[in-house]
Amino acid sequence: MMRPVRKTLRMLENPKDDADTEEQLRQTKSHLLTIGQQIEKNCEGKSDEWIKEWTENLWVFVSQFTPIGSKQLKKLYNKAVRQSSESQTKIFQEKEKMMKDD
């Protein structure tokens, strides 16, 4: 289930030491987005009960690679998803506005 993100899990466990705090935070968000997308992919087409149980189990598994708990990781993932979708929406709106101005 999580084999496709094996390398990402290792990078989450061992962040680069030479990066500054802001860079480490950006990398962690990126890793969480990748891992969370894999968890969601595993849940596609399953029953609601299965999704709830396995989503929780998979975030617990991910928490083994970091000192952050599973619930906090899931919250961070959800926040990163919201931020990325908001930034994509902004970019789309700016492009649309530029096209209207032309």
Side-chain angles (χ1 to χ4, degrees), residues 93-102:
Q93 288 173 346
E94 288 173 3
K95 285 182 180 179
E96 198 173 75
K97 184 179 178 182
M98 288 175 59
M99 292 178 81
K100 284 182 181 179
D101 291 342
D102 290 338

Side-chain angles (χ1 to χ4, degrees), residues 21-58:
T21 306
E22 194 170 309
E23 177 65 21
Q24 283 185 347
L25 181 61
R26 190 185 62 72
Q27 288 176 355
T28 301
K29 284 182 182 180
S30 173
H31 297 325
L32 285 177
L33 283 170
T34 303
I35 293 165
Q37 289 168 352
Q38 179 64 30
I39 290 172
E40 288 180 4
K41 185 178 176 183
N42 288 327
C43 294
E44 289 177 356
K46 308 291 189 212
S47 69
D48 290 340
E49 186 178 309
W50 190 94
I51 290 171
K52 183 178 180 183
E53 179 181 349
W54 277 96
T55 300
E56 187 175 322
N57 290 341
L58 291 171

Side-chain angles (χ1 to χ4, degrees), residues 9 58-71 73:
L9 287 167
L58 291 171
W59 280 112
V60 168
F61 172 74
V62 172
S63 72
Q64 301 300 307
F65 294 89
T66 180
I68 304 170
S70 61
K71 290 180 181 179
L73 284 172

Side-chain angles (χ1 to χ4, degrees), residues 1-8 34 38 41-42:
M1 289 185 140
M2 298 301 285
R3 192 152 185 83
V5 292
R6 180 180 69 217
K7 289 181 182 177
T8 306
T34 303
Q38 179 64 30
K41 185 178 176 183
N42 288 327

